[in-house]
Amino acid sequence: MTIDRISTSAQTAYFLAQITHAGNALDKTQEQIASTKKATTYAGFGDQTQVLTATLSVNARNDAYTTATKFAVTQTDLQDTQLTSLSSLVSTLKKAISDSVANNDATGLMTQVQSIFTQATAILNSKDANGDYIYGGGKTDVAPVSVSSLSALQALPSTAAAFANGDLKKSVQVADGVNVS
């Protein structure tokens, strides 16, 4: 496109204003490209400000969900390790009883049973990184197993009396409307 002739001073001023405006727009675009930022203030985003603030809000919420999920995975891994240890203790107890019966000799059996009970109690009364009892249910500040010896366990009226844990299940929100217990 070429401009052959401008007939009036008003047209000349208009064309110069348009060229200046186009130059300013070009400068702004080049600055955005060079800095990789569309604007430095919310006003610079114009009608896209709501989209930006909504996106920031969603990102913050997703970060919170990610943190909660990582904590839940850590707790689950810890519980898996502890339940594997309990399973091992049960196998050890089973073998000790079988050996005692097979050999018709229960000389050291009660010592082994007390040791296994102590280890199992320690596992069930373990705490997480925050200092909360893992198996306490809603009572995270009270040890879930309230007995420390086999004789104390035997003296209780019921097995349930050996536990001081709550019945509240722990849960974590991993997404909008999605809770995992």
Side-chain angles (χ1 to χ4, degrees), residues 110-127:
M110 285 311 292
T111 305
Q112 283 182 300
V113 171
Q114 179 63 46
S115 173
I116 291 169
F117 176 79
T118 302
Q119 292 174 56
T121 302
I123 290 171
L124 292 173
N125 284 340
S126 60
K127 295 180 179 183

Side-chain angles (χ1 to χ4, degrees), residues 124-169:
L124 292 173
N125 284 340
S126 60
K127 295 180 179 183
D128 63 16
N130 296 328
D132 296 333
Y133 287 100
I134 295 171
Y135 301 105
K139 295 181 179 179
T140 57
D141 58 339
V142 177
V145 179
S146 59
V147 294
S148 59
S149 68
L150 290 172
S151 57
L153 180 64
Q154 184 180 6
L156 295 175
S158 69
T159 307
F163 298 96
N165 56 322
D167 56 1
L168 178 67
K169 292 181 183 178

Side-chain angles (χ1 to χ4, degrees), residues 29-113:
T29 301
Q30 287 176 335
E31 182 182 329
Q32 289 173 344
I33 291 170
S35 69
T36 68
K37 295 180 181 177
K38 181 171 178 158
T40 56
T41 63
Y42 283 124
F45 287 98
D47 60 349
Q48 296 176 335
T49 302
Q50 288 179 328
V51 173
L52 175 64
T53 54
T55 302
L56 293 174
S57 173
V58 168
N59 281 341
R61 188 170 59 234
N62 286 342
D63 288 346
Y65 290 150
T66 300
T67 302
T69 301
K70 285 179 182 178
F71 179 73
V73 167
T74 301
Q75 289 286 93
T76 304
D77 289 345
L78 180 61
Q79 288 176 349
D80 181 55
T81 301
Q82 291 174 336
L83 292 175
T84 301
S85 296
L86 283 174
S87 175
S88 226
L89 288 174
V90 169
S91 296
T92 302
L93 178 61
K94 183 178 176 182
K95 184 178 180 327
I97 292 171
S98 295
D99 289 349
S100 293
V101 170
N103 296 330
N104 201 21
D105 180 21
T107 305
L109 180 62
M110 285 311 292
T111 305
Q112 283 182 300
V113 171

